[in-house]
Amino acid sequence: MPTRLSYVIKYVADMDKAVAFYRDSLDLPLKFASPGWSEFLTGETTLALHIASDRNPAGSTEVGLSVDDLAAFHAEKTAAGVVFPEPPRREHGVSLASLLDSEGARVGVSG
């Protein structure tokens, strides 16, 4: 089952300022912008901006992976000792989960 890097989330304090920077200063094509979530067209991997929070402070990032079968991925990786603080759930019309990498950073997984 191939695992693909599908997105990188950059947590930001000021969405308008961040969108302007990536769009106008770095010339990334904007897919869409909203007050809490914006995306740029960057090839196979999406750069997403998300408004910062206590859990995800401004300047932090999160890697997002994509798999074909999230339930099977979750079962296989849990059995191999990977820690999932959030089990798979349906949200925004897709199955999502969260795992911790070797340094305790959260990695999102969709399927």
Side-chain angles (χ1 to χ4, degrees):
M1 146 181 356
T3 304
R4 299 168 303 280
L5 178 64
S6 56
Y7 61 88
V8 175
I9 300 173
K10 171 78 174 186
Y11 293 96
V12 301
D14 184 325
M15 183 63 73
D16 292 335
K17 186 175 177 180
V19 166
F21 174 78
Y22 285 96
R23 181 192 60 218
D24 303 337
S25 298
L26 299 183
D27 300 322
L28 291 177
L30 182 64
K31 181 177 178 182
F32 71 89
S34 72
W37 181 269
S38 299
E39 292 185 5
F40 293 88
L41 299 169
T42 58
E44 292 184 26
T45 303
T46 298
L47 171 61
L49 305 179
H50 192 293
I51 204 70
S53 66
D54 289 339
R55 178 176 153 186
N56 299 298
S60 63
T61 59
E62 182 177 324
V63 172
L65 305 175
S66 179
V67 296
D68 293 331
D69 184 339
L70 183 55
F73 178 85
H74 178 261
E76 176 185 321
K77 299 307 176 190
T78 298
V82 175
V83 175
F84 286 80
E86 298 176 20
R89 66 194 183 287
R90 292 291 293 176
E91 190 174 318
H92 309 298
V94 67
S95 294
L96 300 172
S98 183
L99 62 88
L100 298 179
D101 73 7
S102 60
E103 298 185 0
R106 213 170 271 278
V107 176
V109 185
S110 63

